[in-house]
């Protein structure tokens, strides 16, 4: 009887241990382990809107420098670099004759009815064509090189452009009182002259034409007159 009771206690103890072990094993196998955290999604930064509302875009590469343009000719003539026009011309059109391009001479003065007449002749002594338009400036020059009397008055007339090719000529009519003529001697103030100082139209440099004569140099006398240039 004692043996049966002891066996019963031992059996129960063993069964209890067996059930505890099974329960631990079952709990251990049935409880899944906690999953590892999922990888975080890549972080993206939303583009910042520009003032126009469009997203900023990468900076565009700097623009390449444009190739240099051909140098333009002076004065905006449009001629290609290296081309040129002969001196005294502008794009093929003749320029006004400069004093340095001209020579001047006076035809033999001819008296008539209290006046004296002569023709002033300009010659283009350069190698290029030039033009003259308008009135020359003319005055007498005394022996000491200063102006004598009043400069020539312009006679009424039609002005026209005269083209002078190399060696070409233009002329202008000159008239003066023949001596005292009809003037009062005191008013006339007859004075000697060595020649004429002549400014071609629109020029500031003068030519000199010898002409030894006497003329009225009084301050109120305007006897010397000049006409516009014409084709010679």
């Amino acid at each position: 009887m004692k043996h049966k009771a002891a066996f019963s206690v031992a059996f129960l103890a063993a069964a209890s241990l067996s059930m505890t072990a099974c329960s631990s094993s079952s709990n251990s196998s049935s409880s899944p382990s906690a999953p590892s955290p999922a990888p975080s999604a890549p972080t993206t930064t939303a583009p910042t809107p520009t003032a126009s509302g469009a997203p900023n875009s990468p900076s565009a590469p700097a623009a390449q420098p444009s190739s240099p343009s051909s140098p333009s000719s002076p004065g905006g003539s449009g001629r290609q670099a290296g081309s040129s026009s002969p001196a005294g011309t502008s794009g093929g059109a003749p320029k006004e004759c400069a004093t340095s391009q001209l020579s001047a001479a006076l035809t033999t003065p001819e008296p008539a009815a209290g006046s004296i007449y002569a023709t002033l002749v300009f010659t283009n002594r350069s190698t290029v064509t030039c033009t003259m338009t308008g009135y020359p400036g003319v005055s007498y020059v005394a022996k000491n090189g200063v102006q004598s009397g009043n400069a020539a008055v312009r006679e009424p007339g039609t002005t026209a452009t005269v083209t002078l090719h190399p060696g070409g000529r233009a002329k202008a009519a000159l008239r003066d009182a023949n001596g005292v003529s009809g003037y009062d001697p005191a008013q006339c103030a007859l004075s000697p002259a060595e020649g004429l100082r002549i400014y071609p139209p629109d020029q500031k440099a003068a030519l000199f034409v010898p002409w030894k004569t006497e003329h009225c140099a009084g301050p109120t006398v305007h006897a010397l007159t000049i006409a516009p240039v014409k084709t010679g």
Side-chain angles (χ1 to χ4, degrees), residues 112-116 175-190 216 221 223:
S115 295
I116 190 166
R175 184 188 68 82
D176 195 10
N178 187 6
V180 176
S181 189
Y183 293 100
D184 178 90
Q187 180 188 20
C188 172
L190 197 63
C216 289
V221 176

Side-chain angles (χ1 to χ4, degrees), residues 111-139:
S115 295
I116 190 166
Y117 297 89
T119 301
L120 185 59
V121 180
F122 295 96
T123 302
N124 179 5
R125 62 187 183 86
S126 73
T127 59
V128 295
T129 300
C130 60
T131 64
M132 298 181 73
T133 308
Y135 291 83
V138 182
S139 61

Side-chain angles (χ1 to χ4, degrees), residues 15-16 37 52 61 73 76 84 86 101 107 109 132 140 163 180 187 208 222:
S16 176
S52 63
S73 58
S84 61
Q101 293 177 270
T107 61
M132 298 181 73
Y140 283 107
T163 300
V180 176
Q187 180 188 20
F208 176 77
H222 298 272

Side-chain angles (χ1 to χ4, degrees), residues 16-63:
S16 176
L17 287 174
S18 176
M19 288 180 68
T20 300
C22 287
S23 175
S24 298
S25 175
S26 174
N27 289 338
S28 174
S29 61
S30 62
S31 300
S33 60
S36 59
S40 60
T43 303
T44 58
T45 303
T48 304
T50 62
S52 63
N56 287 326
S57 57
S59 300

Side-chain angles (χ1 to χ4, degrees), residues 45-182:
T45 303
T48 304
T50 62
S52 63
N56 287 326
S57 57
S59 300
Q64 296 298 319
S66 57
S67 59
S69 57
S70 299
S72 57
S73 58
S77 66
R79 288 179 289 155
Q80 294 181 352
S83 66
S84 61
S85 296
T89 64
S90 177
K95 288 184 178 180
E96 197 165 34
C97 296
T99 302
S100 59
Q101 293 177 270
L102 301 169
S103 62
L106 195 68
T107 61
T108 303
E110 299 179 357
S115 295
I116 190 166
Y117 297 89
T119 301
L120 185 59
V121 180
F122 295 96
T123 302
N124 179 5
R125 62 187 183 86
S126 73
T127 59
V128 295
T129 300
C130 60
T131 64
M132 298 181 73
T133 308
Y135 291 83
V138 182
S139 61
Y140 283 107
V141 176
K143 191 172 184 177
N144 56 5
V146 299
Q147 181 174 319
S148 177
N150 292 306
V153 175
R154 295 179 176 184
E155 286 191 353
T158 302
T159 60
T161 298
V162 179
T163 300
L164 283 73
H165 297 287
R169 294 181 177 182
K171 63 183 180 181
L174 186 75
R175 184 188 68 82
D176 195 10
N178 187 6
V180 176
S181 189

